Amino acid sequence: MAQNMMLYWASGSPPCWRVMIALEEKKLQGYKHKLLSFDKKEHQSAEVKALNPRAQLPTFKHGDLIVNESFAACLYLESAFKSQGTRLIPDDPAEQALVYQRMFETNNLQQKMYDVAFYGYYIPEEERHESALKRNKENLVTELKLWDGYLEKMGKGSYLAGKNFTMADVVCFPVIAFFPRLHCPKEKCPRLMEYYEMLKDRPSIKASWPPHWLDNLEGPDLLKNL
């Protein structure tokens, strides 16, 4: 079933990682895949562009169907294999709404994390300002408090959208995993770090863990001074 699937991906990319978690949760092991390097610009190859004109990863193909956006690929896998593996989208409309909200809120958390952790990478040196970086840090701290509040409200041992593991966790965990990786102080998001510890050994997450993170257990301390 998975043999006619092809995934082009990059190690440590949250969008790629979430699709890989979804594939694991839906019991679709055995799919074909190709690990590419952003640094070597391998994602801009003709092979990828033939499937994804934007030359972005992940690029996912199932038979003749091409689904490139990570959210779309994850939702497609849940829809196409609804009765297989973990049920990632609940039937109840209210529960669905919370899952979808947390999924799309992930974009806010990821962007605010990138604005701090990779400020020096994205912003040319002549355009960098301490005041801008300070503001980015304040925005990230506010966002972390919001997510901590979500988990606090739902109670200890909760997933992002309730008592069950859902697509919200598939989508968001790869972003949350960057905080301990980049040495974010635990006191800035204690509930998120409890959540991280609860999920990091889940089989689907361990099976898809970024290989270069395994090779280098300590990431850079880009969030140390948050």
Side-chain angles (χ1 to χ4, degrees):
M1 186 180 298
Q3 288 79 8
N4 62 345
M5 295 181 176
M6 180 68 182
L7 178 69
Y8 296 85
W9 62 289
S11 179
S13 159
C16 296
W17 192 359
R18 65 176 58 117
V19 175
M20 297 172 81
I21 294 173
L23 285 161
E24 291 288 331
E25 291 289 340
K26 301 310 292 185
K27 305 297 181 186
L28 293 167
Q29 294 88 350
Y31 60 91
K32 297 175 184 177
H33 62 93
K34 191 169 186 178
L35 174 60
L36 302 176
S37 168
F38 285 126
D39 290 339
K40 297 177 182 178
K41 301 188 183 303
E42 292 175 342
H43 60 296
Q44 297 181 6
S45 69
E47 183 179 4
V48 173
K49 286 183 177 179
L51 301 174
N52 189 337
R54 290 193 176 93
Q56 294 174 339
L57 301 179
T59 289
F60 178 70
K61 189 171 185 288
H62 181 202
D64 295 327
L65 179 67
I66 300 168
V67 190
N68 288 320
E69 292 294 330
S70 65
F71 281 32
C74 288
L75 290 170
Y76 165 74
L77 290 170
E78 171 63 12
S79 179
F81 302 95
K82 191 172 183 178
S83 61
Q84 181 171 314
T86 307
R87 186 72 179 276
L88 297 172
I89 302 292
D91 285 328
D92 180 77
E95 293 177 5
Q96 281 185 17
L98 182 57
V99 170
Y100 292 143
Q101 178 165 325
R102 295 291 178 265
M103 283 176 61
F104 289 99
E105 280 186 291
T106 298
N107 290 326
N108 294 322
L109 180 62
Q110 179 173 320
Q111 187 58 59
K112 287 178 171 58
M113 182 266 288
Y114 279 11
D115 287 345
V116 175
F118 306 116
Y119 181 78
Y121 177 81
Y122 288 120
I123 307 300
E125 186 172 0
E126 65 274 11
E127 297 178 17
R128 297 174 198 165
H129 300 283
E130 281 301 316
S131 59
L133 180 56
K134 180 181 178 181
R135 183 172 62 253
N136 290 350
K137 288 181 178 180
E138 291 171 349
N139 290 339
L140 178 54
V141 169
T142 299
E143 186 73 17
L144 288 172
K145 287 180 179 177
L146 183 65
W147 285 84
D148 255 31
Y150 291 157
L151 289 168
E152 182 70 31
K153 184 177 180 179
M154 287 186 291
K156 193 173 182 63
S158 173
Y159 295 99
L160 291 179
K163 63 181 181 179
N164 296 316
F165 183 91
T166 68
M167 192 65 79
D169 305 288
V170 170
V171 164
C172 197
F173 180 85
V175 175
I176 292 172
F178 268 84
F179 289 93
R181 172 77 180 170
L182 302 182
H183 301 272
C184 177
K186 289 185 178 181
E187 62 270 17
K188 297 295 183 180
C189 50
R191 295 308 302 272
L192 272 181
M193 290 304 94
E194 288 178 9
Y195 168 84
Y196 167 81
E197 291 294 332
M198 182 178 75
L199 257 68
K200 66 183 178 65
D201 292 323
R202 188 176 177 90
S204 64
I205 289 171
K206 288 187 70 175
S208 56
W209 201 262
H212 83 280
W213 287 16
L214 293 173
D215 293 338
N216 185 1
L217 299 179
E218 286 291 320
D221 59 359
L222 297 175
L223 295 176
K224 181 179 180 180
N225 296 320
L226 185 64

